[in-house]
């Protein structure tokens, strides 16, 4: 497990973007699952600004809210499109249609999209981190072997999402790529910035690996990088030791 800590703001965003650009240079047909939320946006913007050749990549949206009206600006799809996909112009962009009449068929189609990749796995999962330790919409207690699923959101997730749904109630459920596929990705990145994430970063990286804190399960993965700013890292042993990657 590696922790890559950079000054908050453009230095953090550019470090993440540079690594992403490098991955795509090494592997132009990279198949990625990408988070939305506010954390990755500056990194996505920096990656697009770098003008990297994302044209052969394939992108899977990590999760999507349920009960969305058409053209909802706060949908995960809209956020990922405007923050990355429209600029990156990948070969394939797979969203999650939570309004599908047959949601089971939609879930199965997402799993099939993942299975169609080399080795049946994603190359890279770029994830945010919920204050309760969720990854995507895999809330505490989610099964480690779970695949794409309809899930009820935790109260803290709904409260956190409310800022995107001004003047209307935030959704209470969504569909997410499951922990099984995120943990099977060849490489996993977890992005976290700000002091508000420091406690959960420390629990996820230094506490026990448990489904109570889904992000702690990445401890079991052989190729994980935590992209942190100093505030998010401040309660970790890495910061206390002020030394290199753990
Ligand atoms: P944030 O959301 O990037 O907006 O903090 C992360 C998450 O809840 O997964």
């Amino acid at each position: 497990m590696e922790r890559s800590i950079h000054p908050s703001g453009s230095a953090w965003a550019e470090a993440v973007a540079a690594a992403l650009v490098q991955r795509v240079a090494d592997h132009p047909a990279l198949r990625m699952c990408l988070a939305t939320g506010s954390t990755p946006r500056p990194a996505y913007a920096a990656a697009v600004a770098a003008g990297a050749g994302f044209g052969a990549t394939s992108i899977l949206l990590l999760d999507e809210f349920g009960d969305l009206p058409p053209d909802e600006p706060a949908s995960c799809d809209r956020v990922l499109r405007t923050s990355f996909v429209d600029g990156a112009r990948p070969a394939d962009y797979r969203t999650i249609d939570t309004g599908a009449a047959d949601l089971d068929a939609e879930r199965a189609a997402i799993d099939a999209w993942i299975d169609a990749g080399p080795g049946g796995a994603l190359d890279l999962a770029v994830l945010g981190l919920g204050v309760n330790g969720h990854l995507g919409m895999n809330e505490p207690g989610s099964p480690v072997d779970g695949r794409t699923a309809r899930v009820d959101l935790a109260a803290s997730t709904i409260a956190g999402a409310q800022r995107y749904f001004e003047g209307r109630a935030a959704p209470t459920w969504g569909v997410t790529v499951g922990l099984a596929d995120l943990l099977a990705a060849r490489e996993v990145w977890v992005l976290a910035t700000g002091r508000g994430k420091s406690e959960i970063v420390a629990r996820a990286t230094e506490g026990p690996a448990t489904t109570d804190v889904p992000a702690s399960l990445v401890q079991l993965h052989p190729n994980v990088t935590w992209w942190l700013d100093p505030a998010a890292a401040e309660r970790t042993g890495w910061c206390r030791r002020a030394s290199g990657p753990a």
Side-chain angles (χ1 to χ4, degrees):
M1 187 161 64
E2 187 171 331
R3 291 173 212 166
S4 192
I5 304 179
H6 303 273
S8 51
S10 59
W12 177 87
E14 276 161 24
V16 178
L20 187 58
V21 167
Q22 187 61 53
R23 292 297 181 283
V24 174
D26 293 344
H27 186 175
L30 204 70
R31 290 169 67 83
M32 303 179 266
C33 181
L34 298 184
T36 56
S38 55
T39 306
R41 284 192 215 189
Y44 292 156
V48 169
F54 289 102
T57 63
S58 296
I59 293 174
L60 172 63
L61 182 64
L62 171 63
D63 51 16
E64 184 59 276
F65 294 110
D67 288 334
L68 295 175
D71 298 326
E72 166 59 61
S75 73
C76 298
D77 170 33
R78 182 75 77 81
V79 170
L80 190 61
R81 270 183 208 276
T82 54
S83 64
F84 188 65
V85 171
D86 287 350
R89 303 171 69 87
D92 184 16
Y93 170 48
R94 180 56 158 100
T95 59
I96 304 175
D97 180 9
T98 55
D102 185 346
L103 201 52
D104 274 341
E106 177 67 358
R107 294 194 297 113
I110 300 292
D111 291 344
W113 190 100
I114 296 168
D115 293 342
L122 298 159
D123 292 313
L124 174 63
V126 177
L127 308 173
L129 174 67
V131 289
N132 65 353
H134 72 208
L135 293 176
M137 292 178 183
N138 294 286
E139 302 286 14
S142 298
V144 70
D145 58 353
R147 301 204 71 192
T148 307
R150 181 199 195 282
V151 291
D152 291 323
L153 300 176
S156 65
T157 304
I158 298 168
Q162 191 58 58
R163 66 190 189 276
Y164 303 121
F165 291 87
E166 222 173 280
R168 55 213 192 280
T172 59
W173 66 276
V175 173
T176 185
V177 174
L179 290 174
D181 291 298
L182 300 180
L183 296 172
R186 277 176 265 283
E187 186 168 7
V188 175
W189 293 357
V190 188
L191 278 48
T193 53
R195 185 158 292 127
K197 297 286 173 73
S198 62
E199 184 184 343
I200 193 64
V201 166
R203 284 177 67 199
T205 56
E206 297 172 356
T210 164
T211 54
D212 292 344
V213 181
S216 68
L217 298 171
V218 303
Q219 294 175 28
L220 309 175
H221 192 284
N223 190 3
V224 176
T225 302
W226 286 79
W227 295 95
L228 305 171
D229 70 355
E234 71 180 14
R235 298 196 197 193
T236 65
W238 193 94
C239 252
R240 288 193 294 274
R241 288 195 303 277
S243 60

